[in-house]
Amino acid sequence: MLVIAVFLPLLGALIAGFFGRMIGDRPSQIVTCLGVGLAALASIPAFIDVALNGNAQTIVIATWLASGTFDAQWALRYDTLSAVMVMTVTCVSTLIHIYSVGYMSHDDSKPRFMAYLSLFTFAMLMLVTADNLVQLFFGWEGVGVVSYLLIGFWFKKPAANAAAIKAFVVNRVGDFGFLLGIFAIYFLYDSVTFDVIFDAASAHADTEVTFFGLHVHALTITCLLLFVGAMGKSAQLFLHTWLPDAMEGPTPVSALIHAATMVTAGVFLVARMSPLFEYAPTALAVVTIVGASTAFFAATIGCVQNDIKRIIAYSTCSQLGYMFFACGVSAYQAGVFHLMTHAWFKALLFLGAGSVIHAMSEEQDIRKMGGIWRLIPFTFAVMIIGNLALTGIPPLSGYFSKDMVIEAAHAAHTGVGNYAFAMGIMAALLTSFYSWRLTFLTFFGTPRANKHTMDHVHESPKVMTIPLAGLALGAIFAGGIGYSVFVGEGRGEFWDGAIAVFASQDSIGRVHEDHPAFYIKYLPLFVSLLGLAVAYLMYIRRPELPGKLAATFPGVYKFLLNKWYFDELYNFIFVKNAFRFGRWFWKGGDTRIIDGYGPDGISAAASRAAKRISAVQSGFLYHYAFAMIVGIAAFVTWIMAGGVG
C-alpha cells in the first residue's frame, strides 16, 4: 500500500508520456488521473496506520549508491511527517489532475501535459518519502526539472520560456547551498541517512569547523546552507523572483506548484532536519527573520497587483513565510499544519481563478472584470470560501493553522519571535485587504469587460467544478479536524519523533500552557476583519479612493507595483554583467584569441600567402623567363658560396 501510493503516479506519467499519441488524449487523461487517484486512496489507510496508529516504518527497495563508507539506500521512509505530506500531495494533486481535463480541453498536447503533472507528483512523493539526503535531493531536483517543463509548457510563448528559465536558474542558486549542506553533513556524520544523522546529532552540538578561514559552529553553517536551498525552492526573500513569473504556465500548474508540491519542499526540509536545527539557534533565528520578512514583503506587493494569478502567487510567497517563521521559533508542527491547510485553500483559489479566467475568455486583469458573481455563482462561492480560509476567518482551516503560527511566534518570548509576531500581524492585515480587493474587483461592481466578453461569461463544466467542491471541503474542514492532533495537547504522540523539538524551545507547548491574552489570541482575526472593511470601503463604497491614494503617494505605489524593484536590481547587478562578461569572453577570448590565432588565423595566413604567390602566376612568358633567370642566379650563388666555404 505504501509503495503503491508513491509509484502509481510514475506509472501513469510513463504511459501518457511515451504512449500518449498511440492511445490518444482521453485514455492518457484517464490513466494519469487514475494513477494519482489510486495513490491518494492508498495514502489514506497509510496515514491512519503510520500517523494515527504509530506504525512508522522504512521500506528498503534497493541499494542505490555504495562506495567505501558512503551508503545510500533507495528506501521509503514512512513516519508521520511523510504520511502527512504524501496524503496532502496525492489528494490535492488528484483534484488538480481532474480539473486539468476540463481546463486543458482545447490544448493540442494533453498527453504531454498530464504526463508532466503526474511526473511532478511522483518527484514530490520521492522527496517527502526519502530516507536519506541523496534520495531527497533526487526528488528535489525532480520537481525542479518538471517545474521547468510545466512553466514553459506553452513553449511558443517567449514569456513562458523566459519564466521557465528564470525558475530553473534561481533554483540552481539555492540548490548550490543545499548541496554544500549535504556535503557538510556527510563530513560531520560520515553518513547521509536520516536515522544515523539524527541519532548522532548531539555528538556534534558543539563542533567547530574552519569555513572560509573562520572558526564557526559546524551545525550553524550546515543548517544555514540547507536553508539556502529551502529559500530557493520555497521562494523566500531574495530568491523569490521566480515564483510570480511561474504564472506563465497553465493555471493547474500554478495550483500544483504553489499548493501541495515544489514550494512546500523547503518547509518540509527544515521540518525534516529539525533534530539538527534545534542545535543551531542562530540558524533558527535567520529562518525566523527571513520567513517573517517574506510574509510582510510579499503581502505588500499583493496589494497593488492586477493579474489575478499573480496576486494569489504573492499570497503563496507570504504564507510560506508564515510556515518558515513557525519553524524558526521551533513550532515545526504548526508550520507543517499550516502547510497542509494552505494546500487545500490555495489550490482552491488558484483553480477558482482558473475558472474565472475560463469564464472571462482568458482575461486575467481584475481591472477588466467585475459584476460577474451572478453569472458564475459556484465559482464565486468557492472563491469566497478560499478567501475566508486564507484570511483566517473561523471556523475555516486558515483560522486554526495561521493563528497557531502567530501565537507560537509570540509565545517564543524572543526578539526574533516578537519580530515574527509583528510581521505576521501586519501580513495578516494586508492579506485580508488584497484578498478581498481581488474578490470585489473580480465579482462585484459594474462590468468593466467589453460586451463580447460579458456575453460569453459562463460557469465551468462539472469536470472543473467537482474538484473545486472537493478542495472547498478541505478548506472548510481540514483545520478543525487536524488541530488537536497536529498542534493540540496530544501532538507528541501524533508526531512520534518525526519532528524533534527541545522542551525548552517548544513554542506550541507554551501557547497551551500560558493561554495567551485575549488581545493576542484574537488580534489576527481583528486585523483580518479590518482588512475586509478597508477593502470594502475602497472598492465598493468609495471606488475612487484607490486612484486618489496612488496619485497622492506615486512613489510608494510604483515601488510596490514594481515588486520592490528586485527584478530590476538583479538585472542590473547580475544579468547585465553576465552578458557583458559573456560578450567580453566571447569576443575577446574566443573570437580574438582562440579563433584569431587558431583555425581562423591559420586559414587567414594561408589565404594571404596564396594570394601573394598567385600574383606571380601572371601568364606572361617573359615573367616566367625572368623568374627562371633569378632562380638560376640564386642557385649558382648558393653553390659558389658553398664551394668557397
Side-chain angles (χ1 to χ4, degrees):
M1 192 68 73
L2 303 179
V3 177
I4 288 174
V6 174
F7 285 98
L8 275 178
L10 175 63
L11 180 62
L14 293 175
I15 294 173
F18 288 108
F19 306 104
R21 290 187 178 182
M22 184 185 304
I23 63 178
D25 293 348
R26 185 49 56 89
S28 297
Q29 293 170 334
I30 292 173
V31 74
T32 49
C33 290
L34 199 60
V36 179
L38 290 175
L41 291 176
S43 72
I44 296 173
F47 173 81
I48 295 172
D49 182 43
V50 172
L52 299 183
N53 296 334
N55 186 25
Q57 55 191 288
T58 299
I59 303 171
V60 178
I61 298 174
T63 298
W64 189 12
L65 297 171
S67 177
T69 60
F70 182 86
D71 180 71
Q73 300 289 327
W74 193 293
L76 302 181
R77 179 188 181 91
Y78 257 88
D79 57 11
T80 300
L81 181 58
S82 297
V84 168
M85 293 299 296
V86 168
M87 186 176 67
T88 302
V89 169
T90 54
C91 290
V92 173
S93 182
T94 297
L95 296 173
I96 294 173
H97 272 68
I98 297 171
Y99 178 95
S100 299
V101 173
Y103 191 86
M104 302 295 288
S105 60
H106 300 296
D107 197 89
D108 295 331
S109 303
K110 300 181 189 69
R112 179 166 64 93
F113 182 78
M114 300 303 292
Y116 287 168
L117 283 186
S118 289
L119 186 59
F120 193 83
T121 304
F122 166 73
M124 187 64 186
L125 293 175
M126 288 305 305
L127 190 157
V128 300
T129 58
D131 185 51
N132 56 75
L133 284 165
V134 176
Q135 185 180 333
L136 190 151
F137 191 71
F138 167 77
W140 188 275
E141 290 302 289
V143 294
V145 169
V146 185
S147 70
Y148 169 82
L149 298 173
L150 285 170
I151 294 169
F153 179 77
W154 287 324
F155 55 84
K156 293 182 180 179
K157 290 173 55 179
N161 291 326
I165 293 172
K166 186 176 183 180
F168 197 79
V169 170
V170 173
N171 273 274
R172 295 295 71 72
V173 175
D175 292 353
F176 179 68
F178 186 24
L179 274 174
L180 291 179
I182 295 175
F183 296 152
I185 288 175
Y186 184 69
F187 173 76
L188 289 174
Y189 298 100
D190 197 32
S191 177
V192 292
T193 303
F194 291 139
D195 285 337
V196 176
I197 296 168
F198 298 158
D199 290 342
S202 60
H204 293 282
D206 300 317
T207 301
E208 291 191 351
V209 296
T210 301
F211 186 75
F212 287 109
L214 302 174
H215 289 287
V216 294
H217 184 229
L219 286 182
T220 295
I221 197 66
T222 300
C223 291
L224 287 175
L225 289 170
L226 294 175
F227 181 58
V228 170
M231 286 175 63
K233 197 65 72 181
S234 295
Q236 292 301 281
L237 189 61
F238 303 117
L239 294 179
H240 67 280
T241 53
W242 68 270
L243 194 65
D245 289 8
M247 297 302 98
E248 293 295 338
T251 299
V253 173
S254 305
L256 194 58
I257 289 177
H258 288 238
T261 59
M262 189 162 172
V263 297
T264 62
V267 180
F268 170 82
L269 175 65
V270 175
R272 172 60 80 203
M273 304 306 292
S274 57
L276 299 188
F277 275 89
E278 286 296 285
Y279 288 104
T282 302
L284 284 177
V286 172
V287 172
T288 306
I289 292 170
V290 172
S293 301
T294 304
F296 174 73
F297 152 79
T300 61
I301 298 175
C303 291
V304 299
Q305 297 300 304
N306 299 307
D307 185 301
I308 188 170
K309 288 171 62 178
R310 284 180 180 265
I311 296 172
I312 303 173
Y314 277 108
S315 171
T316 298
C317 193
S318 180
Q319 296 303 306
L320 288 166
Y322 277 97
M323 300 172 206
F324 273 111
F325 78 67
C327 294
V329 296
S330 294
Y332 305 96
Q333 299 97 327
V336 176
F337 183 38
H338 192 49
L339 183 158
M340 186 271 291
T341 61
H342 175 264
W344 291 97
F345 60 73
K346 187 51 59 69
L348 176 63
L349 286 171
F350 266 116
L351 297 189
S355 185
V356 171
I357 295 168
H358 177 78
M360 295 294 294
S361 303
E362 305 306 314
E363 180 58 67
Q364 294 185 201
D365 192 333
I366 59 176
R367 295 172 298 180
K368 299 179 182 179
M369 299 181 186
I372 61 173
W373 73 271
R374 289 188 179 88
L375 302 175
I376 47 173
F378 183 83
T379 298
F380 168 69
V382 296
M383 288 288 283
I384 291 293
I385 292 172
N387 267 353
L388 291 171
L390 173 61
T391 55
I393 305 299
L396 279 78
S397 296
Y399 168 74
F400 295 96
S401 59
K402 189 167 74 172
D403 282 27
M404 175 53 75
V405 168
I406 295 174
E407 290 174 28
H410 180 266
H413 301 309
T414 61
V416 292
N418 292 334
Y419 173 76
F421 174 75
M423 291 293 102
I425 291 296
M426 287 191 285
L429 172 64
L430 297 174
T431 298
S432 180
F433 172 77
Y434 68 65
S435 297
W436 292 108
R437 170 181 178 264
L438 182 152
T439 301
F440 294 145
L441 285 177
T442 301
F443 295 102
F444 292 94
T446 57
R448 295 179 296 278
N450 58 57
K451 186 177 184 303
H452 179 268
T453 300
M454 292 303 299
D455 288 343
H456 290 81
V457 174
H458 59 285
E459 190 61 88
S460 298
K462 288 185 179 180
V463 72
M464 294 171 63
T465 56
I466 290 175
L468 288 173
L471 292 170
L473 291 175
I476 295 171
F477 297 112
I481 294 174
Y483 179 84
S484 61
V485 293
F486 275 79
V487 294
E489 299 286 355
R491 66 193 181 282
E493 296 179 3
F494 176 74
W495 292 104
D496 191 27
I499 290 176
V501 182
F502 291 160
S504 60
Q505 297 176 202
D506 187 4
S507 299
I508 298 177
R510 282 194 288 271
V511 170
H512 293 303
E513 293 170 4
D514 298 346
H515 301 292
F518 179 85
Y519 76 92
I520 295 294
K521 187 171 183 62
Y522 291 102
L523 186 57
L525 176 59
F526 171 76
V527 297
S528 292
L529 295 175
L530 178 61
L532 166 60
V534 173
Y536 179 78
L537 173 66
M538 294 181 66
Y539 294 98
I540 298 296
R541 300 291 296 175
R542 299 282 302 279
E544 75 280 0
L545 279 180
K548 291 182 178 179
L549 195 62
T552 304
F553 303 101
V556 176
Y557 176 71
K558 290 181 179 178
F559 181 71
L560 297 179
L561 188 65
N562 288 284
K563 303 160 288 188
W564 289 36
Y565 291 102
F566 268 100
D567 283 310
E568 289 78 4
L569 180 64
Y570 288 172
N571 186 61
F572 177 76
I573 295 175
F574 299 112
V575 178
K576 288 186 176 179
N577 286 325
F579 276 114
R580 189 177 293 115
F581 175 77
R583 283 192 295 268
W584 173 85
F585 182 82
W586 181 259
K587 297 293 185 183
D590 188 80
T591 303
R592 293 182 183 177
I593 298 175
I594 297 175
D595 287 347
Y597 292 98
D600 289 350
I602 294 172
S603 63
S607 177
R608 287 193 297 270
K611 288 180 179 179
R612 291 177 180 176
I613 293 172
S614 65
V616 179
Q617 306 296 322
S618 63
F620 294 108
L621 182 61
Y622 61 88
H623 284 176
Y624 297 139
F626 177 75
M628 291 170 63
I629 294 171
V630 171
I632 291 171
F635 179 73
V636 171
T637 302
W638 178 74
I639 292 294
M640 293 300 293
V644 174

